[in-house]
Amino acid sequence: ASVTQYQGEPVGIVRALANMIQDNTNGELFSITTSVQYPQSIDDVIDYVQEEQDQDVRPELTSHIDNLEDYDVIFVGYPIWWFNAPMAIGSFLESYDLSGKTIVPFCTSQDNGIDVSMDYIRKNAKNAEVLEGHRIHNSDSAEIKAWLKEIGTIS
């Protein structure tokens, strides 16, 4: 997994971006965690993830939001894994009644845009409004702030 710095601490890139979104929106952070122990080597992860996708697996979640009804807008961040969002994102989205919610997808990827995962997000975020997703190219807070203004979540 790639690691970057956020306020001097090492964190994953998606977490660093989530922290920047939180800084700008005054939101709350939540980490989607699963019972799956993913392989350590990149080649093994690629094989494992491809198999998860081929079988449309929904990994068991080990974290849960008890008060999702208190939130109207939910940012969902993820890396692109084998041309899609991780299957755990499907587990998360399918675990809640998203009626009346707005889902804001964002991703990281070296090679692919977020469009490769948007059908998957829309399919699993039933009854929610899913905004057009955004691939964040780096941990540039100015880019994130401009995007948040563009989608109307900050002024």
Side-chain angles (χ1 to χ4, degrees):
S2 297
V3 176
T4 191
Q5 294 283 318
Y6 177 75
Q7 297 184 352
E9 296 294 321
V11 293
I13 293 172
V14 172
R15 179 58 183 256
L17 299 173
N19 287 341
M20 289 179 206
I21 291 168
Q22 178 192 32
D23 287 347
N24 283 281
T25 63
N26 296 316
E28 295 182 29
L29 290 177
F30 172 78
S31 293
I32 298 170
T33 57
T34 71
S35 59
V36 176
Q37 293 287 337
Y38 288 96
Q40 293 297 310
S41 92
I42 190 67
D43 291 334
D44 291 342
V45 167
I46 290 169
D47 291 343
Y48 190 92
V49 168
Q50 185 178 14
E51 188 173 317
E52 267 191 344
Q53 287 182 16
D54 289 348
Q55 296 177 13
D56 201 23
V57 170
R58 292 298 179 270
E60 176 189 10
L61 300 179
T62 57
S63 57
H64 187 77
I65 300 173
D66 292 328
N67 61 334
L68 193 74
E69 66 276 358
D70 295 345
Y71 302 96
D72 296 322
V73 177
I74 302 163
F75 288 84
V76 179
Y78 51 90
I80 296 294
W81 280 3
W82 197 251
F83 307 103
N84 201 359
M87 296 294 98
I89 298 298
S91 298
F92 173 79
L93 294 171
E94 290 176 346
S95 295
Y96 298 96
D97 177 4
L98 299 175
S99 301
K101 307 293 182 199
T102 299
I103 303 298
V104 185
F106 68 95
C107 77
T108 61
S109 176
Q110 291 181 339
D111 302 320
N112 301 109
I114 197 166
D115 56 312
V116 299
S117 63
M118 288 303 298
D119 287 343
Y120 178 76
I121 298 297
R122 287 185 188 102
K123 178 180 108 177
N124 291 291
K126 290 180 176 48
N127 301 317
E129 175 187 7
V130 178
L131 297 187
E132 198 58 43
H134 185 69
R135 174 180 150 205
I136 301 175
H137 301 285
N138 56 46
S139 56
D140 178 0
S141 60
E143 176 190 352
I144 291 169
K145 194 168 197 168
W147 167 60
L148 293 172
K149 284 181 179 182
E150 180 183 315
I151 64 173
T153 57
I154 65 170
S155 52

